[in-house]
Amino acid sequence: MQIAIMGTAPSSRFLAPFNDTAWDIWACSPCYDANKKTFCELPRINRFFELHRLDGEELRDKLNEQELAEYCAWLKQIAKDGCTVVTQKADDIEGGIAYPLTEVTAQFGRYITNTISYMIAAAILEGATKIGIYGVDMAASEEYGSQRPSCEFWIGLATGL
């Protein structure tokens, strides 16, 4: 199984193998562009990870009530269209599945600080033979300082396996 993990940085996200169906495309939030009023303009998504609490402040800090409602409606729609939507709890989105946190932490430990790391961990758990990472620049100070080391850990673990 080959998995392309998608971030939102424009510099490399469209280099992913969208036209090669041997690759699963895994995308994640934040994917809403408030200026364009659009969601995740990727050509193809097989799995979408929204691991922020949908009823919590993490998303309310980024989206107003209307945008949050539109975002949740979009998540429900892509689940109906066949995209696997991964959330904290299976009942967060109709048709969604819960992230396998218990299995991941039991096998690999708890050092996960961001969604990209959760995605890499899930790919390892599911037996990915190749993992590509696109659109993950870790340029913002929050990302660079607290999230990049976690991604480096999981990339190293995947490479070692």
Side-chain angles (χ1 to χ4, degrees), residues 37-97:
K37 300 287 186 196
T38 59
F39 299 96
C40 222
E41 295 179 336
L42 299 176
R44 177 169 69 89
I45 306 171
N46 299 96
R47 193 174 299 188
F48 189 85
F49 289 73
E50 178 45 84
L51 299 178
H52 301 98
R53 288 186 45 205
L54 294 174
D55 62 350
E57 293 302 313
E58 295 168 315
L59 287 177
R60 292 181 198 289
D61 287 345
K62 298 174 185 172
L63 305 174
N64 65 39
E65 289 300 319
Q66 179 182 344
E67 291 168 343
L68 183 58
E70 291 170 359
Y71 180 57
C72 289
W74 178 77
L75 290 173
K76 290 175 189 174
Q77 185 59 52
I78 65 170
K80 286 180 186 175
D81 291 343
C83 178
T84 302
V85 177
V86 182
T87 58
Q88 287 187 21
K89 301 177 292 186
D91 61 355
D92 279 343
I93 292 293
E94 183 179 335
I97 64 170

Side-chain angles (χ1 to χ4, degrees), residues 125-144:
L125 185 70
E126 291 186 26
T129 55
K130 193 179 277 190
I131 300 171
I133 300 173
Y134 303 89
V136 180
D137 289 0
M138 295 291 170
S141 60
E142 173 191 331
E143 293 172 342
Y144 192 86

Side-chain angles (χ1 to χ4, degrees), residues 2-13:
Q2 300 176 104
I3 298 170
I5 293 176
M6 305 299 304
T8 59
S11 60
S12 65
R13 73 188 293 205

Side-chain angles (χ1 to χ4, degrees), residues 80-122:
K80 286 180 186 175
D81 291 343
C83 178
T84 302
V85 177
V86 182
T87 58
Q88 287 187 21
K89 301 177 292 186
D91 61 355
D92 279 343
I93 292 293
E94 183 179 335
I97 64 170
Y99 183 84
L101 183 61
T102 302
E103 294 86 349
V104 165
T105 57
Q107 188 163 346
F108 304 115
R110 294 192 152 288
Y111 182 50
I112 305 175
T113 65
N114 60 81
T115 302
I116 298 296
S117 293
Y118 279 108
M119 293 165 73
I120 297 169

